[in-house]
Amino acid sequence: MAAKLLQPPFQASHVIAPKPRTTKMVKAQRFLPDTHLMSKSTIFGDFPSGFTPIYTTKVTEQSSGIVGDETLAQIKTELFQAVQGVNRGIFGIPSGKKSEIEGLVKLLESQNPTPNPTVKLEKVGGSWKLLYSTITILGSKRTKLGLRDFISLGDFLQIIDVAKGKAVNVIKFSAKGLNLLNGQLTVEASFKIALKSRVEINYDKSSITPAQLMNVFRKNYELLLGIFNPQGWLELTYVDDDIRIGRDDKGNIFILERSRE
């Protein structure tokens, strides 16, 4: 899973658009006092004498930016619930669950309170934890990396230093066969603004610590790095104080929450 810079591949409210107004003609009818009810023809049809059609303008309000009656907070709560128990999606999830998550992502993206995030990069800086991504490690890749029984994945974290234009992705591991040895893959990258909502990411360097864990991955290190390498561009499609969503040049989606630790 290619770790995406401003949206690492590891485990890391709200402006409502003004309501557009449209108008339509509505015919209101009023009776005027008259002693005789005789038929009177108009371009709108026949009316009794003394019966005068009055035409008024009615303002109709379109729906606001929020879908249905849901608020951003409700959508975020549903998204948090949807990604529970999926292990960040790294080993694949049922298509129905994937569709549910991506549907909620689109709802949030349509209500993005920070449409030009690179203009406000301070909202992106700091530490984040990956909740979900569409990057997966399946089949023979999972077997070669020992991620079935021997090695377990821990948190996927990302630390972004806006001032230096640097991002560090940290993927934590624990190896059962090494007395529950804990370690991590660290991938460092630099980034620069490309568009109002996009950054270009360049891989700088990576390492695995401690050395014992590096020995476990050495044979398939390129495979591991290929999954978590953030090289490419990243579109920041939703940013608020708690959640960040991004899409990369490979079509992957990343959902991260701000880490308070």
Side-chain angles (χ1 to χ4, degrees), residues 28 63 68 71 76 82 173 194 249 257:
S63 65
T71 65
K76 287 168 64 174
F173 299 94
D249 54 323
E257 72 170 336

Side-chain angles (χ1 to χ4, degrees), residues 16-34:
I16 297 179
K19 299 181 179 181
R21 298 157 64 93
T22 60
T23 63
K24 69 178 182 180
M25 298 300 294
V26 177
K27 183 167 67 178
Q29 299 173 335
R30 183 178 70 191
F31 280 97
L32 299 180
D34 198 346

Side-chain angles (χ1 to χ4, degrees), residues 231-255:
Q231 184 82 25
W233 57 254
L234 175 69
E235 194 81 16
L236 301 171
T237 59
Y238 183 92
V239 180
D240 68 17
D241 294 336
D242 307 304
I243 296 180
R244 200 180 85 227
I245 298 174
R247 295 174 181 265
D248 69 7
D249 54 323
K250 302 171 187 64
N252 293 306
I253 296 174
F254 301 87
I255 305 172

